[in-house]
Amino acid sequence: MLRALCGGGRFFLPVPAPRSLRLPSQLCLQRRLLQQAAPPVAVPPAVGRWLLACSGAVAGAVVLGGVTRLTESGLSMVDWHLVKEMKPPRTQQEWEAEFQKYQQFPEFKILNHDMTLTEFKFIWYMEYSHRMWGRVVGLAYILPAAYFWRKGWLNRPMKGCVLALCGLVCFQGLLGWYMVKSGLEEKPDSYDVPRVSQYRLAAHLGSALVLYSASLWTGLSLLLPRHKVPSGVSQLIRLRQFAHGTTALIFLTALSGAFVAGLDAGLVYNSFPKMGERWIPDDLLAFSPVLRNIFENPTTVQFDHRILGIASFTAIAALYLFSRKIPLPRRTRMAATSLLAVACMQVGLGISTLLLYVPTPLAATHQSGSLALLSTALWLMSELRRVPK
């Protein structure tokens, strides 16, 4: 023991007690200090490649869902069972029983009352493919996540990210059935074509876009190396902020497309740049209260989608011109150029889809183009984030 004098009294500075005599609280404190001092777990590239593959699977589900909507196949399966519905009908009796269930709902009674069993099989298989693909997406997230977790390849931030992604993919499946259910409900006071709620359709698409964007962003963040550029790029922060705002505008434009699809608003005015003979149509604010027009008036929904599309293209062009004034790495400059090229393609697809009265192949390509545009914008954001200040 070490001894010291203080004011005539004595006090002792004891040496540390043996490990076997320490209190549990002391052991826990020491363990926490050691954990904090330890270097963070490095996430292997396999996790990044897995997330990129998952984002590709989500993109496939979005495209397949758009085709299902365009072919009006989404209401063909009137039940939802997580496991039971994975086995399709095989015999003639099973198909007739499935067809009879479909005949009890509004879409058959109002729209498809003269449909044959062969025609029903086509729309049923379209919806079946979409649902089965959704289950594949869920397994693609959950099973590898459990494996990586068990192997210790995920650090603490990545564990939280992976849990959020797996929770979102499960929520996405439930939201899909909630959307379909809105189109199966009887509406005695309405003789309109049965369709799902445009609000639920937008929520379903929006959550899929969030899942896709988060997976792609995280995967790129894990895989892309940092750039080496000269320091002192004063306008880089402004370019980053501009890219973030442009990406948000692209996301909003893609989401507005769900309202266009939900209300068949693409068939209201099939001319460009004017809507009919006017720049601003007479029925733009026909509904009351005024706020309803934004989400329920097909004319207003198409007008909003046009304005958002034009604004997105203008922002992308301005972003490209701004990026030319800043010394950037080759890969970052390539991302900015690719964003402008994809935007030009997407504008061409959108105008062609409108003028040709929304043919299914062209409309599906236009929807796929929105994913390509969002993906390129996320790539550019990831590149700019990795340029040192």
Side-chain angles (χ1 to χ4, degrees):
M1 307 290 285
L2 296 177
R3 185 169 58 186
L5 295 177
C6 181
R10 296 180 179 180
F11 67 91
F12 297 95
L13 296 176
V15 297
R19 183 176 180 86
S20 59
L21 299 180
R22 294 178 196 175
L23 296 175
S25 59
Q26 293 176 319
L27 295 175
C28 292
L29 179 60
Q30 288 184 351
R31 190 177 296 112
R32 290 177 186 174
L33 292 175
L34 289 173
Q35 290 175 351
Q36 292 175 359
V41 177
V43 180
V47 177
R49 290 192 289 267
W50 161 62
L51 289 173
L52 290 185
C54 286
S55 67
V58 175
V62 172
V63 173
L64 186 56
V67 175
T68 302
R69 174 69 188 88
L70 289 167
T71 56
E72 297 182 344
S73 306
L75 300 178
S76 57
M77 296 180 68
V78 297
D79 295 323
W80 190 87
H81 301 284
L82 185 61
V83 178
K84 182 179 178 181
E85 71 180 19
M86 294 177 66
K87 178 183 177 182
R90 295 182 179 180
T91 65
Q92 183 70 14
Q93 292 76 12
E94 290 178 346
W95 274 114
E96 290 177 354
E98 191 72 23
F99 192 28
Q100 288 176 1
K101 288 194 293 184
Y102 173 70
Q103 294 172 358
Q104 306 303 313
F105 289 88
E107 185 175 70
F108 177 83
K109 296 177 181 179
I110 298 175
L111 184 64
N112 295 331
H113 51 83
D114 57 347
M115 175 176 280
T116 64
L117 180 60
T118 302
E119 294 170 333
F120 171 71
K121 287 182 179 181
F122 171 77
I123 64 171
W124 192 94
Y125 271 121
M126 286 297 304
E127 174 65 8
Y128 175 79
S129 300
H130 183 50
R131 294 193 186 189
M132 292 305 104
W133 188 265
R135 285 162 172 77
V136 170
V137 172
L139 293 176
Y141 274 93
I142 295 173
L143 295 182
Y147 174 78
F148 293 143
W149 195 301
R150 184 178 179 84
K151 294 284 287 186
W153 290 0
L154 306 178
N155 56 26
R156 188 171 182 179
M158 276 302 302
K159 286 181 179 179
C161 178
V162 166
L163 283 176
L165 292 175
C166 291
L168 185 57
V169 75
C170 294
F171 172 75
Q172 175 70 3
L174 295 174
L175 190 58
W177 170 242
Y178 181 65
M179 176 194 69
V180 170
K181 189 177 179 182
S182 66
L184 300 176
E185 297 172 351
E186 295 279 355
K187 299 175 182 178
D189 299 332
S190 175
Y191 295 95
D192 196 7
V193 175
R195 55 169 62 96
V196 299
S197 166
Q198 69 270 25
Y199 297 101
R200 300 185 190 184
L201 177 60
H204 187 50
L205 176 62
S207 61
L209 292 178
V210 169
L211 178 64
Y212 172 76
S213 301
S215 303
L216 181 62
W217 173 263
T218 308
L220 291 175
S221 300
L222 292 174
L223 292 177
L224 291 181
R226 294 187 69 89
H227 293 290
K228 295 181 180 180
V229 296
S231 58
V233 183
S234 59
Q235 294 179 306
L236 182 59
I237 295 178
R238 290 178 56 194
L239 182 61
R240 282 183 179 137
Q241 294 172 344
F242 198 176
H244 291 174
T246 302
T247 303
L249 187 58
I250 293 170
F251 184 94
L252 184 61
T253 305
L255 190 61
S256 71
F259 288 93
V260 175
L263 293 172
D264 290 329
L267 298 172
V268 179
Y269 287 96
N270 297 93
S271 58
F272 189 86
K274 292 183 178 181
M275 297 180 71
E277 300 297 326
R278 302 174 64 90
W279 291 100
I280 300 178
D282 295 331
D283 55 342
L284 187 67
L285 301 176
F287 290 11
S288 181
V290 176
L291 189 61
R292 281 186 56 205
N293 292 277
I294 300 176
F295 306 106
E296 299 180 16
N297 185 342
T299 298
T300 311
V301 166
Q302 187 191 120
F303 181 82
D304 292 342
H305 190 59
R306 289 183 182 220
I307 296 300
L308 287 171
I310 294 171
S312 297
F313 179 77
T314 303
I316 291 169
L319 178 65
Y320 172 76
L321 295 176
F322 187 23
S323 70
R324 301 295 295 180
K325 300 178 181 180
I326 304 175
L328 295 172
R330 179 175 176 273
R331 201 173 63 220
T332 306
R333 193 169 298 282
M334 185 186 300
T337 305
S338 300
L339 181 61
L340 181 62
V342 176
C344 293
M345 178 195 70
Q346 180 67 353
V347 169
L349 285 172
I351 295 174
S352 301
T353 301
L354 186 69
L355 297 180
L356 296 175
Y357 292 85
V358 197
T360 298
L362 198 56
T365 307
H366 179 55
Q367 180 170 333
S368 303
S370 67
L371 274 177
L373 190 62
L374 181 60
S375 303
T376 313
L378 290 169
W379 174 31
L380 177 59
M381 281 178 56
S382 182
E383 296 289 353
L384 289 173
R385 190 173 72 92
R386 293 186 167 272
V387 176
K389 298 181 182 178

